[in-house]
Amino acid sequence: MEAAGRLLGVLLGTAVLAACASPPARPPKETPTPTQAATTQPSNGSTPGTDSSATSAATYVPTEEQYLKTFGEVQEVIAELTRIIAAGDYDGWMGYLTSEYIESRSSPAFLADASSAPILKKNGIVLKSLRDYFDYVVVRSRLQATLDDIQFLDETHVKAIGAVQGTNVILYYLVHEGGRWKVGTRGSGDS
């Protein structure tokens, strides 16, 4: 009896360790259902310029129609942002940013923190402006991004989740503002 208890303990411990060590499942390539969107947790991968800190699952659950419509809109926005970023079009990129995002990413504290990224330090790059952030961080980190899923934070705030070089990250926090989706900050609608 005691041996069976130990064996059960070892098996449970092994299962727990295996679950912790396993990478999270990738979101499906086909359009997920609203329920999947509300429960998908991206991994905590880090890419310069992305805020991929772990957050709790979204509490707002959209209708299937709203999810599909929003997914399509976000897909179009990300495709356009990808085109703009690949072309190095700073002014075009600025047109997709909320004023909150511009203010937060232009702050000296944010720029100093972002400048401490190993790749920037290694290359002697110190970010002094939003333009520097665009040129040295955004352009370099977004070229290989693909949208896999969205998570609603509320009716007007979503996380766009995708793969960057094989790692799931939060590509963007998007805010529906002025009739279209714009890049916002994590604080926008996130609990």
Side-chain angles (χ1 to χ4, degrees), residues 11-34:
L11 290 174
L12 287 173
T14 303
V16 167
L17 287 175
C20 291
S22 301
R26 284 186 51 135
K29 287 292 180 185
E30 64 273 318
T31 305
T33 65

Side-chain angles (χ1 to χ4, degrees), residues 31-55:
T31 305
T33 65
T35 304
Q36 289 169 318
T39 60
T40 301
Q41 288 294 314
S43 69
N44 194 15
S46 75
T47 300
T50 62
D51 184 352
S52 56
S53 58
T55 58

Side-chain angles (χ1 to χ4, degrees), residues 3-178:
R6 273 191 245 155
L7 178 60
L8 180 60
V10 168
L11 290 174
L12 287 173
T14 303
V16 167
L17 287 175
C20 291
S22 301
R26 284 186 51 135
K29 287 292 180 185
E30 64 273 318
T31 305
T33 65
T35 304
Q36 289 169 318
T39 60
T40 301
Q41 288 294 314
S43 69
N44 194 15
S46 75
T47 300
T50 62
D51 184 352
S52 56
S53 58
T55 58
S56 62
T59 55
Y60 177 82
V61 179
T63 64
E64 184 172 356
E65 180 181 329
Q66 181 185 21
Y67 178 87
L68 293 173
K69 178 181 183 284
T70 302
F71 188 91
E73 291 170 353
V74 168
Q75 209 168 23
E76 288 176 19
V77 167
I78 290 177
E80 183 60 14
L81 278 166
T82 300
R83 186 196 64 73
I84 287 169
I85 292 167
D89 181 359
Y90 176 74
D91 294 329
W93 178 69
M94 290 288 292
Y96 278 89
L97 308 179
T98 62
S99 58
E100 180 182 62
Y101 183 92
I102 292 169
E103 183 180 325
S104 74
R105 297 309 187 260
S106 297
S107 78
F110 175 83
L111 293 169
D113 187 48
S115 294
S116 68
I119 190 83
L120 297 179
K121 286 177 81 171
K122 177 182 172 188
N123 291 303
I125 297 169
V126 177
L127 305 175
K128 297 178 181 169
S129 66
L130 187 59
R131 178 66 191 238
D132 287 348
Y133 179 71
F134 175 76
D135 290 338
Y136 296 110
V137 178
V138 175
V139 169
R140 295 180 184 186
S141 67
R142 296 284 197 253
L143 292 178
Q144 300 301 319
T146 59
L147 178 67
D148 291 325
D149 194 11
I150 59 172
Q151 270 186 4
F152 279 79
L153 302 173
D154 61 34
E155 197 169 348
T156 60
H157 296 83
V158 298
K159 291 183 211 177
I161 301 165
V164 175
Q165 298 177 348
T167 302
N168 288 341
V169 297
I170 298 170
L171 300 172
Y172 297 101
Y173 286 91
L174 296 169
V175 180
H176 198 262
E177 182 178 277

